[in-house]
Amino acid sequence: MSDKVFPSSKPAANATTTNATTNNPPTAATNKSHLYNPTSRPPYRPQPHTRRHRSRSGRNICCCCCFWTILTILLLLLLASIAGAALYILYRPHRPTFTITSLRIHRLNLTTSPDSSSSHLSTLFNLTVISKNPNSHISLDYEPFTVSALSDGNDVFLGNGTLPAFSLSKKNQTSFRNVVISGSNDLDVDAVNSLRSDLKKKKSEIGSVMLKIEMDTKVKMKVGGLKTKKVGIRVTCDGIKGSIPKGKIPTVAVTANSKCKADLRIKIWRWTF
């Protein structure tokens, strides 16, 4: 009898190994093909540009706000101009007038030290002022005035004084007599040189000096039921020619050619005299 030959388990193991080895590569290939397959990538979808739309809408809102703001300001300015023109036509405002009817010079002495290192000026003036309100619909309330005397042309300060507060109703006037202006101060070299040419003529009959009077205060106006805020006013009277007094006898200055101008500005409609 012939012997039966049974296959050993090794070939089976080899076959299993062979099958395993033959089965693994397709899996790796499959995974590799899955990783590098272009069709497996998600399609590209461009995102909408939301930021640009937001920036454009923001710019549009900003432009609209600027436009309406400028338009509102222009309309307010137009209304203010119309209101100011209407008030001007309705009330016909006129500048208040001031006049210096007389001015006496009691003292105008300039003394210089022997070494010319310092100079001292002593002055005393007496004047009369008239104030008028030519407006038929406007009343004026003045605060106290500060009155200053200066040399006309070079504005050398000579002295100061005061005027009391007063009110002027419509088409009214008031006068102040014996308004005293005095000064006693040291002068610098420039001020002395400016006055010396006139004061050297003290002993002659033609010795004179040109004077200017400035009055500063604040005024409140009443227009019907409307009251303005207090605003500054300066009255300048120039062209006053005075002669140097001799001894204790005062001299009378020439005020016929003097002109007084009131500079006033109202903040409501910038009414400038």
Side-chain angles (χ1 to χ4, degrees):
M1 295 179 64
S2 60
D3 295 332
K4 294 181 180 181
V5 179
F6 296 94
S8 64
S9 59
K10 289 183 179 181
N14 292 334
T16 304
T17 306
T18 304
N19 292 333
T21 54
T22 55
N23 291 333
N24 290 335
T27 303
T30 303
N31 294 335
K32 188 175 182 180
S33 63
H34 175 72
L35 293 175
Y36 293 98
N37 188 7
T39 59
S40 64
R41 297 180 180 179
Y44 173 74
R45 295 178 182 178
Q47 299 294 328
H49 299 282
T50 56
R51 293 183 179 178
R52 293 184 179 179
H53 291 291
R54 290 180 182 176
S55 61
R56 289 179 182 177
S57 61
R59 291 177 183 176
N60 293 334
I61 293 173
C62 182
C63 292
C64 291
C65 291
C66 293
F67 172 76
W68 286 110
T69 302
I70 295 173
L71 182 61
T72 303
I73 293 173
L74 292 177
L75 289 175
L76 291 176
L77 292 176
L78 179 61
L79 292 175
S81 300
I82 294 173
L87 290 174
Y88 183 85
I89 295 173
L90 180 61
Y91 294 105
R92 295 286 182 178
H94 298 281
R95 68 178 66 186
T97 60
F98 292 81
T99 306
I100 296 179
T101 57
S102 68
L103 189 148
R104 295 178 179 272
I105 303 175
H106 293 266
R107 184 173 63 248
L108 183 58
N109 297 328
L110 176 65
T111 57
T112 305
S113 60
D115 57 355
S116 299
S117 60
S118 62
S119 299
H120 186 80
L121 179 65
S122 178
T123 59
L124 179 61
F125 305 94
N126 189 303
L127 54 89
T128 300
V129 181
I130 296 178
S131 176
K132 296 181 180 180
N133 179 16
N135 298 283
S136 57
H137 297 89
I138 302 174
S139 300
L140 305 174
D141 293 333
Y142 293 99
E143 289 189 350
F145 283 75
T146 299
V147 186
S148 302
L150 302 97
S151 61
D152 196 0
N154 46 36
D155 291 341
V156 178
F157 178 76
L158 304 178
N160 58 5
T162 58
L163 277 178
F166 64 95
S167 299
L168 282 180
S169 58
K170 307 167 186 177
K171 293 287 185 178
N172 198 0
Q173 73 176 31
T174 186
S175 62
F176 296 92
R177 301 178 182 274
N178 298 323
V179 180
V180 178
I181 299 176
S182 61
S184 179
N185 54 317
D186 296 327
L187 300 181
D188 55 14
V189 177
D190 295 335
V192 171
N193 293 334
S194 299
L195 287 177
R196 186 166 290 172
S197 59
D198 289 334
L199 297 179
K200 278 184 178 180
K201 299 177 183 179
K202 181 176 179 180
K203 296 181 181 180
S204 64
E205 295 181 357
I206 61 174
S208 62
V209 60
M210 299 301 296
L211 301 175
K212 178 171 65 176
I213 304 297
E214 290 183 351
M215 295 177 282
D216 297 291
T217 187
K218 291 183 178 181
V219 62
K220 181 188 294 184
M221 296 189 177
K222 298 179 181 179
V223 184
L226 176 65
K227 294 182 180 180
T228 65
K229 294 182 179 181
K230 296 178 182 179
V231 293
I233 178 173
R234 165 168 287 187
V235 182
T236 304
C237 302
D238 53 7
I240 302 172
K241 185 177 181 180
S243 57
I244 307 300
K246 296 180 179 180
K248 297 182 180 180
I249 301 175
T251 59
V252 179
V254 179
T255 60
N257 297 326
S258 64
K259 296 180 180 180
C260 296
K261 181 180 179 182
D263 295 326
L264 173 66
R265 177 164 293 180
I266 298 178
K267 296 181 180 180
I268 296 178
W269 60 84
R270 297 184 70 83
W271 171 22
T272 304
F273 292 111

